[in-house]
């Protein structure tokens, strides 16, 4: 029977196991969303571990998510990347979904980069656009599903962490600057990501609600990892790849599907991968003080 709750020692055990297998000391962790695992191909001196071989690690069950942890250097920056993440809709507790983030913290990581595939709610967004995440709406969290629910482990962070500055301002400014240098046709979008639990895609009425709430993109991940990362003091920044425009009217004959998400992910993923590797040069060397 796999665990649903972890002790501090469980996280330490996993971190120590990984430390015993690689000499690389990652400073930056990247969570690769659906179809975005190609970023690991850019790593030099890569060493990878299947989730099934890592003590306490959950398994990824979603097509398009490989289920590997890859260590290596991206533009000289020592990194660890998750090729495949864990989702609430797979049935995992949010403690499980976020387990790797605390392990990264114990490994000495100071910055977490989150990526995901998302549906565009903002009518200005096109399929293939990249949205820099400025903020999020934790919809499951507002209804009680929060990864920090339960006893607080003070060794990771405070009981009541702030979330108003979750997405690092300096990294967002840098991201805009680097995007300009890339001379892409489309502008870099920026906005609010709303997490829904999934696994079904949204109804028309739900999309209208989410848009009214002020969200620009909708997806089924990311927010729990960001909350746990900020709780333990990691610097966070991230991107949504807009893989589909959500259906906003009852006349439309289109429906969202996972294959569409993977296919458009494939086309735009290279652009996002190049963008993230350029940003690696700009990540400050130190832990964020918060
Ligand atoms: N809704 C929720 N999650 C998603 C979507 C969507 O339209 N596209 C990609 N992930």
């Amino acid at each position: 029977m796999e665990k649903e709750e972890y002790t501090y020692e469980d996280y330490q055990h996993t971190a120590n196991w990984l430390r015993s297998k690689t000499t690389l000391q990652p400073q930056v962790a990247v969570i690769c969303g659906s179809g975005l695992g190609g970023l690991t191909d850019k790593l030099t001196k890569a060493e990878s571990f299947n989730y099934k071989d890592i003590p306490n690690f959950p398994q990824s069950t979603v097509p398009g998510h490989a289920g590997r942890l890859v260590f290596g250097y991206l533009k000289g920056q020592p990194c660890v990347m998750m090729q495949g993440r864990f989702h609430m809709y797979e049935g995992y507790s949010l403690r499980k979904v976020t387990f790797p983030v605390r392990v990264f913290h114990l490994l000495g990581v100071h910055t977490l980069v989150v990526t995901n595939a998302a549906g565009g709610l903002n009518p200005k967004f096109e399929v293939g656009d990249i949205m820099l995440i400025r903020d999020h709406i934790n919809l499951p969290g507002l209804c009680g599903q929060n990864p920090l629910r339960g006893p607080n482990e003070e060794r990771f962070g405070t009981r009541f962490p702030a979330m108003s500055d979750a997405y690092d301002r300096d990294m967002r400014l840098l991201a805009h600057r680097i995007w300009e240098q890339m001379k892409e046709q489309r502008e870099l979008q920026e906005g609010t990501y709303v997490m829904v639990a999934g696994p079904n895609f949204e109804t028309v009425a739900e999309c209208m609600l989410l848009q009214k709430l002020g969200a620009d993109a909708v997806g089924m991940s990311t927010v729990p990892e960001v909350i746990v990362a900020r709780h333990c003091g990691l610097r966070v920044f991230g991107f949504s790849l807009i893989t589909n425009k959500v259906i906003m009217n009852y006349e439309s004959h289109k429906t969202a599907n996972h294959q569409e998400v993977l296919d458009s992910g494939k086309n735009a993923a290279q652009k996002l991968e190049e963008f993230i590797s350029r940003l690696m040069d700009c990540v400050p060397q130190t832990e964020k003080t918060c």
Side-chain angles (χ1 to χ4, degrees):
M1 187 58 185
E2 277 189 72
K3 288 183 181 223
E4 290 297 333
E5 283 291 335
Y6 301 97
T7 61
Y8 191 79
E9 289 69 31
D10 289 328
Y11 295 101
Q12 276 182 320
H13 177 61
T14 305
N16 289 340
W17 185 89
L18 287 166
R19 245 188 241 115
S20 74
K21 302 282 176 193
T22 172
T23 52
L24 197 143
Q25 293 183 353
Q27 307 278 298
V28 176
V30 184
I31 302 181
C32 304
S34 295
L36 292 162
L39 190 60
T40 57
D41 294 339
K42 288 191 186 293
L43 290 172
T44 55
K45 298 196 181 154
E47 293 174 72
S48 71
F49 303 92
N50 290 324
Y51 291 162
K52 67 174 170 45
D53 299 325
I54 308 174
N56 296 325
F57 243 67
Q59 313 298 314
S60 176
T61 66
V62 192
H65 287 255
R68 282 192 311 173
L69 200 59
V70 189
F71 290 75
Y73 294 87
L74 185 59
K75 291 271 180 79
Q77 180 77 256
C79 291
V80 56
M81 296 191 181
M82 284 180 74
Q83 220 179 13
R85 59 146 60 84
F86 311 111
H87 304 83
M88 197 174 160
Y89 64 73
E90 292 174 88
Y92 297 129
S93 68
L94 293 179
R95 284 274 203 274
K96 252 186 174 173
V97 167
T98 57
F99 179 80
V101 176
R102 286 179 165 176
V103 172
F104 298 153
H105 165 68
L106 293 178
L107 285 175
V109 162
H110 56 63
T111 299
L112 175 70
V113 186
V114 288
T115 68
N116 57 55
L121 292 161
N122 186 321
K124 284 197 288 191
F125 290 3
E126 297 294 343
V127 170
D129 277 358
I130 294 173
M131 184 188 87
L132 176 59
I133 307 175
R134 181 195 292 133
D135 201 352
H136 71 222
I137 297 173
N138 180 11
L139 210 54
L142 297 179
C143 309
Q145 293 278 352
N146 190 301
L148 301 178
R149 183 170 176 265
N152 185 52
E153 175 51 78
E154 290 286 331
R155 283 172 283 185
F156 285 121
T158 175
R159 172 77 284 187
F160 300 110
M163 275 309 136
S164 50
D165 59 351
Y167 298 87
D168 192 77
R169 199 160 180 273
D170 294 340
M171 285 310 301
R172 284 192 285 120
L173 289 173
L174 279 165
H176 280 289
R177 205 181 302 159
I178 303 273
W179 185 260
E180 267 165 40
Q181 289 168 8
M182 285 174 64
K183 305 255 178 284
E184 289 289 337
Q185 267 181 341
R186 293 286 297 170
E187 63 178 326
L188 177 64
Q189 309 290 358
E190 183 166 359
T192 298
Y193 175 90
V194 61
M195 181 197 174
V196 292
N200 63 280
F201 291 105
E202 299 69 39
T203 65
V204 172
E206 285 164 352
C207 289
M208 292 194 284
L209 170 77
L210 297 175
Q211 201 181 48
K212 284 206 180 87
L213 290 178
D216 299 289
V218 53
M220 305 174 191
S221 67
T222 305
V223 168
E225 294 109 307
V226 169
I227 290 173
V228 167
R230 294 299 296 136
H231 179 247
C232 63
L234 301 190
R235 174 187 296 108
V236 171
F237 65 97
F239 307 93
S240 293
L241 188 59
I242 305 302
T243 52
N244 57 293
K245 284 170 79 102
V246 301
I247 314 293
M248 284 286 203
N249 67 71
Y250 291 103
E251 280 70 52
S252 173
H253 292 288
K254 282 194 74 189
T255 55
N257 67 77
H258 188 58
Q259 197 54 45
E260 174 191 32
V261 168
L262 290 181
D263 291 346
S264 14
K266 237 175 253 161
N267 297 334
Q270 283 172 341
K271 187 172 51 178
L272 182 52
E273 287 160 15
E274 171 61 22
F275 188 27
I276 291 177
S277 34
R278 287 185 187 219
L279 277 162
M280 282 301 135
D281 284 340
C282 315
V283 176
Q285 293 302 307
T286 53
E287 213 155 297
K288 192 177 169 71
T289 44
C290 50

